Amino acid sequence: MAKVIFVCREGADEPRVSASPETVKRFIGLGFSVVVEAGAGDASGLPDRDYQAAGATIGTAADADGADIILRVNRPDPAEFSSYRSGAIVFAVMDPYGSEAALAAMAKAGLTTFAMELMPRITRAQSMDVLSSQANLAGYRAVIDASHEYGRAFPMMMTAAGTVPAAKVFVMGAGVAGLQAIATARRLGAVVSATDVRPAAKEQVASLGAKFIAVEDDEFKAAETAAGYAKPMSEAYQAKQAALVAEHIAKQDIVITTALIPGRPAPRLVTRAMLASMRPGSVAVDLAVERGGNIEGSEKGKITTIEGVCVIGYANVAGRIAASASALYARNLYAFLETMVDKSTKDFALNLEDELVKATMLTHGGSVVHPTFAAAAASGDTIEKPVVTETTAVDPIAGDAAVDREEL
């Protein structure tokens, strides 16, 4: 029966933390004891004393070797997990695609590992959906970052000296991140429009007071599967949609792109030619820069000027609002672990037949067990990341670009 949870301090590039004083208190209520690595919550505004007040013990990295469960934001590197005891259970965002060697190493170390980003999009797991909780905040922060770099006001202002026109904001992708970006830009007083290749997105965009931009022909109206995913579009439709989007971007002050697929290359949505058509001083935000970018020329972790447009390519955008991101991520983890605890006996046990466990467990019993990665890890091969084109849709639930379910 696992009883000791260890909360790791992340690296210098990660301000988020995997537990909050709130979830620590709730874990203790389930019968766990919790050890928090000193300083783990500092970058999220959560000092050690808050964890102590919730009942946790403050420890060091060396205390991980005595833990039954280890909570992290990001996958541990070999230097870190080499100190974990065999049989320990690790929960984190594992970024498994292209990381087959790391998965094999964790399996060899005897670790049972769970990739939180592989949580299935079902009703039961909504409170555990890390991608949605973090994408929501990323969409909000993208607008805040754009407003900071934009040299003009967002709302229309009527003054004695004249009228300041409202900023025009175009959001590409109406998933969780996109919808939150739309809502935030509207609250700031901008004139907002958005696009998506799914017909259902039109109603979602309109409900937030934004204008929907798409070639709404018969092909578009039939461009969604029963599961809510995009169907491949014809070349003729793609050409018409690209022309419409290019014409629209030329009139915008701010463009925010949100098409990001975990483990896959980001689709190219905005070209240099499109940026060149915008007036100098305009802003573009690329929320997919960590996967190659939706905007041509965007650079990870940097703000660059391309064709006179300020292109924001911040990495880990959710981490730029770390206090809120940590609070939500901690609740995602708690909601998942809570399903593994017997409420009457407070015993912790893994049910290998549970659909959530099957979907997220990467390694167990010395092997890579997830069907997507097991064969590649055993052979040392790398799983190919499918090429995604501009026709890729944005999943209305995930907030990430999505392809038809059969391709996942």
Side-chain angles (χ1 to χ4, degrees):
M1 178 175 64
K3 297 295 287 185
V4 179
I5 293 176
F6 183 78
V7 178
C8 296
R9 180 175 184 172
E10 303 292 324
D13 294 333
E14 179 55 77
R16 293 173 294 177
V17 63
S18 56
S20 64
E22 174 202 354
T23 59
V24 164
K25 187 174 182 179
R26 296 174 75 180
F27 278 127
I28 292 172
L30 290 178
F32 294 101
S33 61
V34 181
V35 179
V36 177
E37 186 174 349
D42 286 352
S44 292
L46 300 171
D48 292 345
R49 64 177 179 272
D50 288 357
Y51 288 105
Q52 288 177 305
T57 299
I58 303 302
T60 66
D63 291 312
D65 65 1
D68 301 295
I69 296 173
I70 296 169
L71 303 184
R72 300 188 57 96
V73 176
N74 299 310
R75 183 184 72 232
D77 60 38
E80 292 170 318
F81 67 68
S82 62
S83 66
Y84 302 169
R85 70 169 184 81
S86 179
I89 305 172
V90 184
F91 295 84
V93 175
M94 292 290 182
D95 191 22
Y97 290 94
S99 303
E100 286 71 26
L103 301 190
M106 290 191 293
K108 185 177 180 180
L111 302 177
T112 294
T113 60
F114 288 90
M116 291 299 295
E117 71 269 44
L118 299 181
M119 191 66 65
R121 267 53 181 273
I122 58 178
T123 301
R124 178 188 169 206
Q126 284 184 341
S127 62
M128 311 165 201
D129 189 347
V130 167
L131 292 180
S132 290
S133 74
Q134 303 303 293
N136 203 320
L137 293 170
Y140 163 81
R141 184 70 206 203
V143 176
I144 301 304
D145 286 336
S147 67
H148 179 73
E149 299 299 330
Y150 185 55
R152 300 175 177 85
F154 256 57
M156 182 180 73
M157 295 184 178
M158 301 182 68
T159 75
T163 299
V164 176
K168 296 179 181 179
V169 177
F170 182 43
V171 179
M172 304 187 73
V176 171
L179 292 174
Q180 183 57 248
I182 292 169
T184 302
R186 286 279 296 156
R187 291 188 190 105
L188 292 179
V191 175
V192 185
S193 56
T195 191
D196 194 294
V197 299
R198 295 171 301 106
K202 179 178 181 179
E203 183 178 345
Q204 296 168 326
V205 167
S207 71
L208 293 173
K211 181 180 180 181
F212 189 69
I213 305 297
V215 177
E216 299 183 50
D217 58 12
D218 290 339
E219 183 177 359
F220 172 79
K221 294 175 183 177
E224 190 170 345
T225 68
Y229 286 79
K231 292 180 179 179
M233 307 296 282
S234 69
E235 291 187 5
Y237 180 87
Q238 292 178 46
K240 289 188 291 183
Q241 176 71 3
L244 176 64
V245 168
E247 180 183 0
H248 188 68
I249 284 177
K251 305 172 185 176
Q252 304 305 300
D253 300 306
I254 294 169
V255 175
I256 298 173
T257 64
T258 69
L260 174 63
I261 305 174
R264 303 186 183 190
R268 180 59 47 77
L269 302 180
V270 179
T271 65
R272 282 182 175 269
M274 293 177 182
L275 294 175
S277 71
M278 300 176 74
R279 65 174 176 172
S282 297
V283 177
V285 183
D286 192 340
L287 285 182
V289 70
E290 291 170 281
R291 292 293 180 187
N294 297 144
I295 300 174
E296 185 178 3
S298 64
E299 296 184 39
K300 179 180 176 181
K302 296 182 179 180
I303 296 179
T304 54
T305 300
I306 303 174
E307 305 293 345
V309 176
C310 173
V311 178
I312 301 173
Y314 288 131
N316 189 14
V317 176
R320 291 177 55 76
I321 184 168
S324 296
S326 295
L328 295 184
Y329 180 67
R331 291 172 192 163
N332 293 146
L333 285 174
Y334 175 82
F336 188 25
L337 267 71
E338 186 184 23
T339 66
M340 303 174 184
V341 178
D342 185 295
K343 301 303 184 297
S344 59
T345 65
K346 295 188 177 180
D347 288 342
F348 176 92
L350 294 178
N351 177 6
L352 300 184
E353 297 305 312
D354 186 286
E355 61 185 330
L356 304 184
V357 171
K358 285 183 176 180
T360 57
M361 180 184 281
L362 292 176
T363 64
H364 182 64
S367 302
V368 177
V369 296
H370 196 286
T372 302
F373 308 101
S379 65
D381 294 336
T382 298
I383 295 178
E384 286 292 326
K385 300 175 183 179
V387 175
V388 183
T389 69
E390 285 87 343
T391 61
T392 303
V394 176
D395 186 333
I397 303 301
D400 309 309
V403 292
D404 189 84
R405 185 179 299 276
E406 293 180 357
E407 298 179 34
L408 293 177

